[in-house]
Amino acid sequence: MTTSIVRAVCPHDCPDTCAMLVTVEDGVATSVRGDPEHPTTAGVLCTKVSRYTERTYHADRLLYPRKRVGPKGSGRFVRIGWDEALDIIASRLSAIAAVDPQAILPYSYAGTMGLVQGESMAGRFFNKLGASLLDRTICSTAGGAGYGYTLGSRVGTDVEQFQNAKVILIWGGNPIASNLHFWTRAQEAKRRGAILVAIDPYRSLTAEKCQQHVALLPGTDAALALGIMHVLIARDLIDHDYVARHTLGFDALKARAAEWPPQRVAQVCGISEAEVVDLALLYGETAMRGEAVAIRANYGLQRVRGGGMAVRNIACLPALVGAWRHPAGGVQLSASDSFPKNFQALQRPDLRPAGQKPRTINMITIGDDLLRQASAEFGPRIDALIVYNSNPVAVAPESTKVMQGFAREDLFTVVLEHFQTDTADYADIVLPATTQLEHVDIHATYGHLYMMANNAAIAPLGEARPNTEIFRMLAARMGFGEACFADSDDAIAAIAFDNTRPQAIHFDWTILKQKGWQKLVMPDAPFANGGFATPSGKCEFYSARMAADGLDPLPDYIAPYESVASNPVLAERYPLAMISPPARNFLNSTFVNIQSLRQTEGEPHLDIHPADAAARAIGSGDMVRIFNDRGSFVARARVTDRARSGLVVGLSIWWKKLASDGRNANEVTSQRITDMGAGPTYYDVLVEVEKAAVVTVTPTGHRNDPGAPSLT
Ligand SMILES: Nc1nc2c(c(=O)[nH]1)N[C@H]1C(S)=C(S)[C@@H](COP(=O)(O)OP(=O)(O)OC[C@H]3O[C@@H](n4cnc5c(=O)[nH]c(N)nc54)[C@H](O)[C@@H]3O)O[C@H]1N2
Ligand SMILES: Nc1nc2c(c(=O)[nH]1)N[C@H]1C(S)=C(S)[C@@H](COP(=O)(O)OP(=O)(O)OC[C@H]3O[C@@H](n4cnc5c(=O)[nH]c(N)nc54)[C@H](O)[C@@H]3O)O[C@H]1N2
Ligand code: SF4
Ligand SMILES: [Mo]
């Protein structure tokens, strides 16, 4: 028997981007484990990805191209050959492109975070074709915009420093589930005497392990940050030297913060005045003692109308107290901009048809946009959709509209997938894609500072092909002659980072492939001496760019679209706020079909506070219907004070067809976008909950009739 160990990378949309070691025996991957030598992975993979071989060799893997034979959504397909599949796709796309290529839309996100299997060959293909552009907003753009206005770019505290902090605010994140290797550092900090504070409306797995938990109302974080500023300034817990040298607009900020006394903040956030003051004092007094205070700002707080402003306000805090002076101080939102990704070379926007001003479709509004007719304002109707690295029918908001759009008989849909997902059920053609064990890739990360290499451990299973190869074959069928359409995956990986930039000066693909990972060259404390990538070079409490973009140039509070306080009329009918953050054993909708992991999660649940449950005669274990004007879904109630009163929590993202009613939480979420960054508002939702009598359990889980009520 020949056994080898192959260096690989976890491809999933997770900040940890772990280094994996794959054991291969006679061409079969028998196990994956975390690389013990990689400093952030430290030998540990999460439960889900420890089962990566189970996923790769799963009996349900798509291994051959398929053509739909039943109605859209029915999931009935027959096997076809690659030639037939490519011919059908090329002829349909050519015909549509001959009229207007912008009637074609790629739809992709982060099924793999790899720079090669993500947007390289696919980007080139759609640029050359002149297809509509997709604004990939579904996750992080609101916070990215707010952080960018304030600090210039998504650069922050290195995860490898957090164990040295004395206070860590875990703000809108649940790292035990979603950022495990950060949590390891936070726990080490706690062992060394740090205080961990969770700021989260829900007592998540993480919140229950922190010494303090501030359970504010969803969507009110910007107000809490203003309250902290108010107390810091009122008590003079300010690093005046840092503020004078490295910030812009302190006097204006001071006037604004004066409008946010703890009493007002407490009322907006639904917490006590003492909680606001104590949090500010813990943060400010620790910093004034010269100790490191750190913030891990995450995604939970961005998924509301004012999500961009919330992140902006939080990003102001470290500069006020001079926390950036310390390598373990500051804030980490995302490390993305630390990596000099070479988008031009990867995606070749220069291939666009000359003179074309491409339209951009926001991926969040895919429901509405698939249902739009051609118009001067919108442009051509969407006639073809090519989906890869994403499962929009499960993950995009306001599902009823998304499914209506995908069900359009005159829409030509191609889905590149590992599995027959909810989205693949609506495809005309399904193409089998390789998993991370079967292809080459290179990764940047958003949670640490290592460039990462993924070697192919095994040959592609069945007739599966890497995304790159599929777009290479399609480009050939479409007659695209540019040399870049023949680039190998290794050739693409080799140009992924710009090694003329100082942080990636040592980048060399052939070396990285062997070593597996290499740290960027970055200072330990990125903003100890200022150097922010803003127009002023300072941390901008006052942002002229925000003013120019029609936003308040100072930190502000923007109330949710849907909350009891901001929308009392709606709240009369739908009095409960609903959030649907990630379940620990799923990765967005990935892994839901892995039985061992689904069994651990059980079934879709809804956590509801005892008072709210009692008012509706709901007991633990009852099936409940969650609904608003947009739709409804069912879940099993868990009566628990983990959810603060007025809030219900449905951990997500379930495959619809594996839920008893063929639906999931996105039935009730909305397509409205955030204040900046055009991001999603998944956690800005009012619902009502009622006991469900009997639930229709379809044997297949398929929801063939989108209009059918979920209850009988
Ligand atoms: N196991 C697992 N890990 C994942 C994922 C997964 O699906 N499963 N998904 C990955 C992806 S794509 C992402 S973007 C990240 C997301 O991971 P996180 O950044 O951790 O974000 P969320 O899980 O959306 O929310 C985290 C916490 O925010 C809380 N929250 C909700 N609304 C608010 C609010 O208004 N204010 C505050 N302060 N808190 C709020 C929720 O209750 C939740 O406990 O995780 C990644 N990692
Ligand atoms: N209600 C609610 N909705 C949410 C969220 C929430 O918290 N609540 N979170 C939102 C967030 S943060 C995000 S990031 C999005 C995530 O949305 P998506 O990025 O769509 O994530 P997944 O659902 O995991 O779907 C990824 C798909 O890509 C496939 N895939 C993986 N690797 C490859 C590959 O190499 N090639 C091809 N062709 N396919 C591959 C996987 O099999 C999987 O089906 O969901 C959003 N939706
Ligand atoms: S999902 Fe995250 S924690 Fe799990 S192995 Fe992948 S990168 Fe690591
Ligand atoms: Mo995400």
Side-chain angles (χ1 to χ4, degrees):
M1 188 165 73
T2 52
T3 302
S4 59
I5 304 290
V6 178
R7 287 191 178 280
V9 186
C10 171
H12 291 296
D13 189 353
C14 168
D16 297 21
T17 314
C18 291
M20 303 198 299
L21 298 176
V22 186
T23 304
V24 182
E25 292 170 350
D26 288 337
V28 175
T30 51
S31 67
V32 297
R33 63 194 159 95
D35 183 346
E37 281 165 25
H38 181 247
T40 60
T41 308
V44 178
L45 303 176
C46 63
T47 319
K48 329 176 261 306
V49 174
S50 311
R51 299 184 184 277
Y52 204 75
T53 52
E54 196 180 323
R55 186 173 185 278
T56 291
Y57 292 108
H58 197 287
D60 297 341
R61 259 296 291 283
L62 292 168
L63 297 176
Y64 307 97
R66 303 171 109 191
K67 183 168 79 174
R68 183 171 54 82
V69 290
K72 290 205 175 191
S74 67
R76 289 213 297 281
F77 288 80
V78 291
R79 177 176 169 183
I80 56 173
W82 270 106
D83 273 336
E84 185 183 349
L86 294 169
D87 284 343
I88 294 172
I89 298 167
S91 77
R92 285 295 293 269
L93 295 188
S94 300
I96 296 168
V99 182
D100 188 342
Q102 300 214 49
I104 300 168
L105 180 70
Y107 196 99
S108 68
Y109 200 63
T112 168
M113 297 283 291
L115 295 171
V116 177
Q117 304 305 335
E119 301 307 322
S120 70
M121 201 53 90
R124 294 172 185 185
F125 179 82
F126 291 110
N127 278 327
K128 170 72 184 169
L129 190 59
S132 287
L133 295 171
L134 185 76
D135 202 0
R136 294 185 170 82
T137 50
I138 205 161
C139 179
S140 63
T141 49
Y147 197 86
Y149 282 129
T150 313
L151 303 177
S153 62
R154 286 166 300 175
V155 171
T157 312
D158 184 348
V159 66
E160 292 180 72
Q161 298 288 348
F162 272 87
Q163 66 277 12
N164 297 320
K166 280 290 168 283
V167 167
I168 304 179
L169 309 187
I170 300 178
W171 203 323
N174 178 16
I176 291 183
S178 61
N179 189 187
L180 191 60
H181 299 80
F182 160 78
W183 177 247
T184 313
R185 306 266 166 179
Q187 270 183 307
E188 176 59 24
K190 192 177 170 192
R191 275 192 288 274
R192 296 180 190 181
I195 298 198
L196 311 186
V197 185
I199 303 173
D200 192 321
Y202 180 60
R203 199 169 72 244
S204 66
L205 295 172
T206 305
E208 73 184 356
K209 296 219 157 46
C210 292
Q211 293 102 321
Q212 298 182 22
H213 175 203
V214 179
L216 78 185
L217 287 166
T220 63
D221 301 271
L224 180 58
L226 280 160
I228 295 174
M229 293 180 202
H230 179 103
V231 176
L232 294 175
I233 294 169
R235 307 279 179 114
D236 198 27
L237 300 169
I238 298 291
D239 183 335
H240 291 284
D241 176 60
Y242 192 93
V243 166
R245 283 172 202 253
H246 304 306
T247 72
L248 188 72
F250 179 65
D251 289 338
L253 177 77
K254 200 168 160 179
R256 173 58 57 87
E259 297 168 20
W260 288 92
Q263 188 193 11
R264 179 180 178 195
V265 172
Q267 203 234 332
V268 169
C269 298
I271 55 179
S272 72
E273 231 178 292
E275 282 178 290
V276 181
V277 175
D278 290 351
L279 182 58
L281 293 183
L282 174 70
Y283 185 75
E285 288 176 348
T286 309
M288 292 307 111
R289 284 199 299 271
E291 292 178 318
V293 292
I295 302 174
R296 176 69 171 109
N298 232 309
Y299 294 91
L301 63 104
Q302 301 180 31
R303 314 219 179 287
V304 291
R305 181 185 188 180
M309 191 63 89
V311 171
R312 159 163 172 69
N313 294 4
I314 292 166
C316 290
L317 298 174
L320 282 172
V321 299
W324 290 116
R325 292 181 189 277
H326 201 298
V331 52
Q332 187 197 69
L333 176 75
S334 160
S336 291
D337 291 333
S338 308
F339 292 84
K341 292 168 222 163
N342 206 342
F343 290 118
Q344 163 66 33
L346 286 165
Q347 299 173 16
R348 298 293 305 273
D350 56 296
L351 295 174
R352 285 246 144 215
Q356 189 198 48
K357 280 208 180 69
R359 81 162 160 196
T360 301
I361 302 277
N362 187 334
M363 69 190 298
I364 294 162
T365 56
I366 190 66
D368 279 343
D369 290 337
L370 282 177
L371 297 173
R372 262 187 241 285
Q373 293 302 318
S375 71
E377 190 199 347
F378 180 62
R381 191 183 59 167
I382 299 170
D383 288 332
L385 196 60
I386 320 298
V387 182
Y388 51 100
N389 301 339
S390 186
N391 184 10
V393 170
V395 307
E398 206 177 352
S399 281
T400 308
K401 294 228 177 108
V402 178
M403 290 168 83
Q404 277 169 13
F406 271 84
R408 265 178 47 201
E409 277 303 329
D410 55 4
L411 177 73
F412 178 64
T413 304
V414 180
V415 176
L416 285 62
E417 253 301 347
H418 298 152
F419 292 102
Q420 191 69 33
T421 57
D422 290 327
T423 305
D425 281 351
Y426 286 86
D428 293 281
I429 303 287
V430 176
L431 300 175
T434 46
T435 69
Q436 190 79 338
L437 300 187
E438 300 151 78
H439 57 225
V440 166
D441 219 324
I442 183 166
H443 288 247
T445 85
Y446 58 104
H448 63 65
L449 298 174
Y450 294 82
M451 300 177 278
M452 311 285 290
N454 183 72
N455 294 284
I458 56 171
L461 300 190
E463 292 183 5
R465 297 286 175 268
N467 290 345
T468 43
E469 180 60 14
I470 296 174
F471 285 105
R472 238 179 245 123
M473 294 190 293
L474 271 175
R477 278 291 202 291
M478 303 281 288
F480 298 169
E482 285 78 1
C484 70
F485 288 108
D487 284 352
S488 68
D489 289 2
D490 276 292
I492 298 171
I495 49 86
F497 296 122
D498 178 358
N499 63 5
T500 64
R501 299 269 298 281
Q503 66 269 45
I505 197 85
H506 304 301
F507 167 60
D508 178 321
W509 173 238
T510 48
I511 297 173
L512 189 68
K513 264 182 92 146
Q514 284 159 23
K515 289 168 66 177
W517 37 270
Q518 180 169 11
K519 196 166 188 182
L520 296 172
V521 183
M522 299 279 288
D524 275 351
F527 305 124
N529 300 304
F532 297 94
T534 53
S536 64
K538 299 184 173 192
C539 167
E540 296 198 350
F541 299 144
Y542 177 92
S543 166
R545 284 189 297 178
M546 290 181 74
D549 292 344
L551 297 161
D552 190 327
L554 288 170
D556 188 21
Y557 168 63
I558 298 166
Y561 291 110
E562 298 188 8
S563 71
V564 174
S566 65
N567 201 337
V569 175
L570 187 69
E572 272 177 32
R573 285 188 293 144
Y574 304 122
L576 299 169
M578 187 195 86
I579 59 173
S580 49
R584 185 181 191 176
N585 290 288
F586 303 151
L587 199 303
N588 299 323
S589 77
T590 304
F591 295 105
V592 180
N593 61 323
I594 305 299
Q595 206 188 353
S596 55
L597 295 170
R598 190 169 70 251
Q599 264 165 359
T600 314
E601 292 296 334
E603 60 185 324
H605 286 109
L606 188 81
D607 288 3
I608 181 167
H609 189 271
D612 296 323
R616 293 164 179 79
I618 291 167
S620 250
D622 287 348
M623 287 305 280
V624 291
R625 191 171 83 100
I626 301 98
F627 62 99
N628 60 19
D629 288 341
R630 289 178 290 268
S632 73
F633 69 105
V634 300
R636 196 172 294 284
R638 285 193 298 216
V639 177
T640 164
D641 65 0
R642 278 180 179 279
R644 58 164 294 160
S645 68
L647 177 79
V648 291
V649 183
L651 298 180
S652 288
I653 307 171
W654 279 81
W655 277 27
K656 296 181 167 186
K657 59 180 165 185
L658 295 176
S660 64
D661 63 341
R663 299 170 185 223
N664 72 13
N666 279 319
E667 302 287 336
V668 297
T669 56
S670 96
Q671 297 179 64
R672 281 188 294 238
I673 60 174
T674 49
D675 55 340
M676 54 186 96
T681 56
Y682 289 109
Y683 304 166
D684 189 333
V685 172
L686 283 175
V687 296
E688 181 53 290
V689 178
E690 64 182 18
K691 205 160 160 172
V694 184
V695 180
T696 316
V697 182
T698 58
T700 61
H702 275 279
R703 178 184 163 193
N704 294 327
D705 173 9
S710 60
L711 302 173
T712 51

